[in-house]
Amino acid sequence: MARTDLRQLRQSPDFWVPMMILAGFFFVVAPAVLLSLITAAETSPAIQRVATAVDVLPSAARAAVEGKTSDAAGQTSYALAVYLFAPLAVIVPMTISTAVGANTLVGEKERGTGEFLAHSPASDRELYLGKLIASLVPGYLTTMVGFGVYSLIVNLIVGPRVGGWFFPTSEWWVLMVWVVPPFLALTLSVVLRLSARVKSSAAAQQASGLVTLPLIMVSYAQSSGFIFGTTASGIGIGLLVWVAAAVGLARGARAVTRPRLLGIDGRL
């Protein structure tokens, strides 16, 4: 089921073209333009204003920035690359996977294919797992590819200012392989439950946006501040979110039932 859904997404330009544009802007265009301008600006009033953003970082992060170079432009570009662009690694996969997940179950009912799934030999849990994988893979895969390109850009633009290639840092590795996956799973556990209960894709999109917005805000705050204070704090936050995601997925699996796939369950 996951392979079928992923193949359908790959064959739908109206899905993957906006996805590529979104990832390309956040991981390539915006970082490349901003880092190039700041690195090339040397000293200017604009650099001094941007440099004040470093003050909002945790003390450990500020010490890391100041220890790399005494150059104001170098410190600013390093802080932007390592700390202030970090939330993008959370927002991009959540946006993509939420868009896919919100439509995955209610879309079956709207297309009339829910009856086929309801009479398939797969168990309810297998149906849920297939839909979960098909929703998670596009967002996370796009993010990992964007992360690789972003790493190259940062090293080419900022590296010469701070003594060579330095990115990804240990904090970014923790974020990408330990923190982002459970935040994504937790978000999808909510979105798939909504998709199984509502009666239209439009309602699923609106409800998913309202429900997942707090999760996005929390992950944004953590990735830009507390998590990036130290690697250990990132591991601790990731562990807590893994536990929450496991509970959410277990509860979400109960939302996929045959009556709901057939559209005859009136409960919301």
Side-chain angles (χ1 to χ4, degrees):
M1 179 184 300
R3 284 197 300 270
T4 301
D5 282 6
L6 290 173
R7 184 170 59 251
Q8 290 176 348
L9 290 175
R10 190 177 66 249
Q11 295 173 347
S12 302
D14 56 342
F15 163 73
W16 59 261
V17 169
M19 181 179 68
M20 296 300 294
I21 293 175
L22 176 70
F25 178 79
F26 282 114
F27 280 114
V28 180
V29 177
V33 171
L34 288 176
L35 293 177
S36 296
L37 290 175
I38 291 172
T39 304
E42 298 293 343
T43 57
S44 72
I47 290 295
Q48 298 302 324
R49 287 195 294 271
V50 175
T52 58
V54 177
D55 296 336
V56 305
L57 296 173
S59 56
R62 289 201 305 272
V65 172
E66 294 167 357
K68 281 295 178 181
T69 177
S70 58
D71 176 28
Q75 287 185 355
T76 303
S77 57
Y78 180 88
L80 283 173
V82 176
Y83 300 103
L84 301 183
F85 279 130
L88 302 181
V90 177
I91 293 176
V92 170
M94 282 192 178
T95 302
I96 294 174
S97 290
T98 298
V100 178
N103 189 55
T104 187
L105 289 169
V106 71
E108 298 283 1
K109 289 184 285 188
E110 289 185 332
R111 293 190 297 271
T113 53
E115 185 174 354
F116 170 76
L117 290 180
H119 293 92
S120 70
S123 66
D124 291 349
R125 187 173 295 274
E126 289 171 336
L127 293 175
Y128 178 78
L129 184 60
K131 293 298 184 184
L132 175 66
I133 293 173
S135 303
L136 190 147
V137 168
Y140 192 59
L141 181 62
T142 303
T143 300
M144 291 305 291
V145 173
F147 172 56
V149 177
Y150 177 72
S151 300
L152 183 62
I153 291 172
V154 169
N155 283 314
L156 289 175
I157 298 176
V158 184
R161 285 277 189 175
V162 296
W165 288 48
F166 66 97
F167 197 88
T169 61
S170 59
E171 291 90 348
W172 266 86
W173 280 118
V174 170
L175 176 69
M176 298 305 297
V177 301
W178 181 247
V179 177
V180 169
F183 264 115
L184 200 53
L186 181 60
T187 302
L188 286 176
S189 71
V190 177
V191 171
L192 290 181
R193 290 179 69 181
L194 290 171
S195 183
R197 292 170 180 269
V198 299
K199 297 182 178 179
S200 69
S201 296
Q205 292 285 356
Q206 292 179 347
S208 298
L210 291 174
V211 172
T212 59
L213 183 60
L215 285 174
I216 292 177
M217 293 176 66
V218 169
S219 60
Y220 186 100
Q222 296 298 333
S223 60
S224 61
F226 182 66
I227 282 179
F228 268 59
T230 65
T231 302
S233 63
I235 294 174
I237 291 296
L239 180 61
L240 292 176
V241 184
W242 272 114
V243 173
V247 174
L249 291 174
R251 293 175 61 86
R254 301 171 195 161
V256 179
T257 62
R258 256 62 181 180
R260 281 176 178 157
L261 288 173
L262 292 171
I264 58 175
D265 189 336
R267 295 175 299 173
L268 294 178

